[in-house]
Amino acid sequence: MSSVSPPRTPTEAPLQSIRSELEGNIFRNVNGLFAKYFEDKSWSVVVQNKLQETKSAKTISKLSAGVPGIAHFDSLVEWLAEFQTLFFAVDQANFRFHSQPLSNTGSTPGAVIYLETSDLQSVTGSTRVFGEFHHDNTPVIADDDDDILRFYERARQVFKDQSARIFVHGFLVRGTTLELWVFDRSGAYSSERFDLAQRPDLLVRTLAGYTLMSDKEAGFNTFVKRPAPGSDSYVTFHQSDKLYLRPELIATADYIIGPGTTCYGASTSTIGEPDAVIKFSWREDEEPTEVRLLERAQERNAWGVIQLRGYQDLVNTADLRQGLRFPGTFVNRTFSCVATTPLGRPIRQFTSIPELLEVLHDLVRALQSLYVDARILHRDVAIKNLIITPQHSADSPKGVLIDFNYALDLDNVRPIEPMVGSDGFMAIGILSGQRHTYRHDLESLFYVFLWIAIANDRVHDEANDILKDMPKTSRLWKWCTMDFGAVGQDKTADMSPEGFEGILDEFSSDFAPLRGLAKELHALIFPVRNGKIFTGTETDQVAVQGLYDGMADAFKRSARALRG
């Protein structure tokens, strides 16, 4: 067991963020939680036997009776150490409690407790369960009380460190009151509040249960196999070859509720260069849209699109919460694993401007092939969804489209489609409620070029992260608010001939020579008609072909000119 300096106390900004994220997705006093996770388990008899053993009964009685008397951090550390002597058997030898004093909270002094595995090289990370111990006996009633928000924020930190985690257990002790929690990608829910004065051995039983739970019961992603500590982790699809995961994450999520997209590099060999991507994510749709559309794109030979290598649905929220009685409805998400190839660099990691322009040329052609050959619209063209890949032949693409979660099958369009896209990159027409068309994907690609030319950010993928290092005077700040109508108006103003001059003035020094290219692309996408820029969609085949050819040719000529 270890104790170190106090943990970082979440400031008001993350507290407000977690408040907004969990609003409407928290359920208290869920009936059946204790029974679901702690009763009739394979290890239940182990706990019961330990409670009844003559040699341990005295210690357990002392531990149970001692909970109300834990008034200081040191006494909590001693209590946990004594608990470990009883329940950390040989097969839990790599487990430990990691406790830290809480500071700067609104309540009286307390501590945060983590049940960890000392195997820090695990893909799934080290924290199995987290909890808080507060010495006062005042219950937290409101879901947005600062103390409870700090507790939620710790759950978010676990998910951030273990992004492919399925769910996380937590517990909250306030004096003699115990409340059990579970966090998953659809929200958070708690048990009824247990009175430890009436059930003095319950905290011991609960911590013992957490200690003895299997990885699956503790919420870990067991689709990732790892035969032994120190060995390489892998996944396999329907008896196919093993794909070995690299420990470095390509993409991760910094929130609790949502798709939780997590990506690893992988290969069929533990020593070979990774050439595939393993993506875990939680989708809302019952049907695996991305997989179906990737299969269709492959069948129709779409060029410049990631290739599907394997797929499997793993579990959904409804199954995870089966047997529990919720007072309201929740979003049922399905957790899946998708393997694709190739593995490339993010577009922001271009090695030279000519390379970037060649990649953008190929992405125009990729969008064209996706639309013309496969009859699919991507609908989420953004920096995060574009990669640079090694060319294996003169005909293979340098730029490739990834992430088809929001893609649209044009042969299966619903009467009303939801607005989708990424902040900063959505087309003006989409922001004003138009149906998505091929032109909107191209407009979004133009915005990708503008963001890169202005910010020249080689680190961040999300527009809001890029903005943090940009001056407040930048016009791009107005492209990233939740007021879509206002964003549409601001973009319309910025894409007017006069407004676009202001955009060109923001180009970074490296990209200043490409202002001419930007003007050429701008004229193609936003032709002026009757004194106003045209933001609609041409459907005439000649016009369609002309827009694709015009953009591709502009990028290609500029790349050649720079290469000399």
Side-chain angles (χ1 to χ4, degrees):
M1 183 172 58
S2 63
S3 59
V4 295
S5 58
R8 174 185 61 82
T9 299
T11 60
E12 182 57 34
L15 290 186
Q16 180 57 43
S17 172
I18 195 72
R19 179 185 286 114
S20 300
E21 181 182 335
L22 287 173
E23 185 176 3
N25 296 295
I26 300 172
F27 299 94
R28 306 288 287 268
N29 302 312
V30 172
N31 200 340
L33 188 151
F34 187 86
K36 179 178 178 66
Y37 292 106
F38 293 91
E39 294 180 355
D40 299 323
K41 303 298 179 185
S42 59
W43 41 264
S44 298
V45 65
V46 177
V47 177
Q48 191 61 35
N49 288 342
K50 183 68 69 172
L51 293 172
Q52 294 176 348
E53 283 179 2
T54 303
K55 61 181 181 180
S56 58
K58 184 177 180 181
T59 302
I60 290 173
S61 177
K62 176 184 174 184
L63 288 170
S64 301
V67 173
I70 300 176
H72 305 285
F73 177 70
D74 289 343
S75 58
L76 175 63
V77 172
E78 293 173 3
W79 191 95
L80 291 171
E82 193 156 11
F83 173 89
Q84 281 189 203
T85 63
L86 288 178
F87 288 99
F88 282 26
V90 175
D91 55 347
Q92 282 90 36
N94 67 328
F95 286 3
R96 66 177 182 179
F97 277 118
H98 179 102
S99 52
Q100 301 172 320
L102 290 172
S103 61
N104 301 322
T105 68
S107 68
T108 56
V112 58
I113 304 166
Y114 297 96
L115 174 61
E116 300 179 332
T117 171
S118 57
D119 177 18
L120 299 179
Q121 299 304 311
S122 170
V123 169
T124 51
S126 62
T127 298
R128 295 180 68 83
V129 178
F130 80 99
E132 284 187 9
F133 191 100
H134 294 264
H135 305 309
D136 71 319
N137 207 23
T138 305
V140 174
I141 303 300
D143 291 337
D144 61 352
D145 178 278
D146 279 1
D147 273 355
I148 198 71
L149 289 174
R150 292 185 183 95
F151 180 70
Y152 300 156
E153 174 63 16
R154 298 190 203 290
R156 182 159 65 176
Q157 286 300 315
V158 175
F159 270 113
K160 186 174 181 179
D161 293 338
Q162 307 171 28
S163 192
R165 184 88 176 242
I166 294 177
F167 61 90
V168 176
H169 285 284
F171 63 95
L172 184 58
V173 178
R174 300 188 71 89
T176 58
T177 301
L178 170 65
E179 190 175 21
L180 309 180
W181 284 84
V182 176
F183 297 82
D184 60 30
R185 291 297 184 185
S186 292
Y189 53 99
S190 72
S191 67
E192 64 270 36
R193 296 185 184 92
F194 299 104
D195 186 352
L196 297 177
Q198 298 296 319
R199 302 179 64 179
D201 66 348
L202 190 59
L203 181 59
V204 173
R205 287 177 178 270
T206 300
L207 294 183
Y210 288 141
T211 301
L212 296 169
M213 283 178 175
S214 66
D215 285 350
K216 183 177 182 180
E217 290 169 329
F220 286 104
N221 179 1
T222 56
F223 188 67
V224 178
K225 306 299 182 186
R226 193 158 181 258
S231 62
D232 295 290
S233 302
Y234 66 88
V235 297
T236 184
F237 299 90
H238 308 298
Q239 309 305 316
S240 62
D241 291 338
K242 295 176 181 177
L243 288 169
Y244 291 92
L245 276 57
R246 299 301 184 268
E248 301 83 11
L249 285 167
I250 298 172
T252 186
D254 60 357
Y255 51 81
I256 297 175
I257 299 175
T261 302
T262 306
C263 298
Y264 299 90
S267 66
T268 54
S269 167
T270 58
I271 58 175
E273 284 294 317
D275 59 357
V277 176
I278 303 298
K279 181 173 83 170
F280 292 99
S281 63
W282 296 79
R283 69 174 189 274
E284 289 189 39
D285 294 340
E286 293 183 6
E287 183 182 2
T289 303
E290 180 179 40
V291 171
R292 179 173 57 81
L293 293 183
L294 285 177
E295 289 174 338
R296 175 171 177 159
Q298 285 180 224
E299 290 167 359
R300 299 191 175 187
N301 299 314
W303 186 85
V305 174
I306 52 170
Q307 302 292 298
L308 184 65
R309 193 160 172 173
Y311 160 77
Q312 191 165 328
D313 277 345
L314 304 177
V315 71
N316 62 46
T317 314
D319 288 342
L320 290 175
R321 297 183 175 188
Q322 187 175 16
L324 301 174
R325 290 180 286 281
F326 284 82
T329 60
F330 56 83
V331 176
N332 185 27
R333 302 180 187 272
T334 299
F335 189 48
S336 65
C337 181
V338 178
T340 57
T341 191
L343 169 63
R345 286 177 281 137
I347 192 172
R348 56 179 163 74
Q349 293 181 0
F350 56 91
T351 57
S352 68
I353 291 180
E355 180 190 53
L356 172 64
L357 298 178
E358 290 164 356
V359 167
L360 289 167
H361 165 273
D362 285 1
L363 289 167
V364 172
R365 292 305 185 198
L367 289 170
Q368 181 179 17
S369 179
L370 188 67
Y371 173 61
V372 175
D373 298 328
R375 287 192 49 77
I376 295 172
L377 298 177
H378 188 279
R379 297 203 302 172
D380 195 16
V381 176
I383 289 175
K384 65 183 179 182
N385 293 330
L386 309 173
I387 62 171
I388 303 170
T389 60
Q391 275 194 299
H392 299 293
S393 69
D395 296 330
S396 63
K398 284 186 178 180
V400 171
L401 299 166
I402 66 172
D403 198 336
F404 279 64
N405 282 333
Y406 295 128
L408 179 66
D409 178 357
L410 290 172
D411 292 331
N412 188 28
V413 178
R414 294 172 290 189
I416 299 176
E417 292 288 346
M419 179 188 295
V420 297
S422 294
D423 278 355
F425 303 97
M426 294 171 70
I428 293 171
I430 300 304
L431 292 165
S432 62
Q434 294 178 16
R435 277 191 170 276
H436 212 109
T437 70
Y438 75 92
R439 184 202 167 283
H440 298 135
D441 279 351
L442 290 172
E443 184 180 335
S444 292
L445 187 65
F446 178 52
Y447 294 142
V448 168
F449 170 65
L450 294 180
W451 275 94
I452 293 175
I454 292 170
N456 201 4
D457 188 319
R458 307 299 181 91
V459 177
H460 302 106
D461 293 320
E462 300 284 355
N464 285 296
D465 292 329
I466 296 171
L467 284 172
K468 292 176 182 177
D469 294 324
M470 294 185 64
K472 294 294 184 181
T473 55
S474 173
R475 293 170 181 249
L476 300 186
W477 279 94
K478 293 184 177 181
W479 293 11
C480 296
T481 74
M482 295 305 294
D483 187 341
F484 297 126
V487 174
Q489 292 174 6
D490 288 325
K491 277 191 172 179
T492 300
D494 289 337
M495 291 302 111
S496 69
E498 300 80 13
F500 195 64
E501 289 298 324
I503 293 292
L504 294 175
D505 288 341
E506 292 194 35
F507 271 35
S508 61
S509 58
D510 289 346
F511 283 85
L514 295 181
R515 287 178 177 139
L517 169 61
K519 287 182 177 180
E520 184 177 354
L521 294 169
H522 177 266
L524 287 166
I525 299 171
F526 298 107
V528 176
R529 297 180 181 176
N530 299 320
K532 296 181 179 180
I533 60 170
F534 177 68
T535 60
T537 300
E538 297 276 15
T539 57
D540 177 77
Q541 289 304 305
V542 174
V544 173
Q545 185 70 36
L547 183 54
Y548 283 117
D549 289 347
M551 290 186 67
D553 183 61
F555 283 125
K556 190 173 186 178
R557 280 188 286 104
S558 294
R560 285 178 174 173
L562 289 175
R563 288 198 184 279

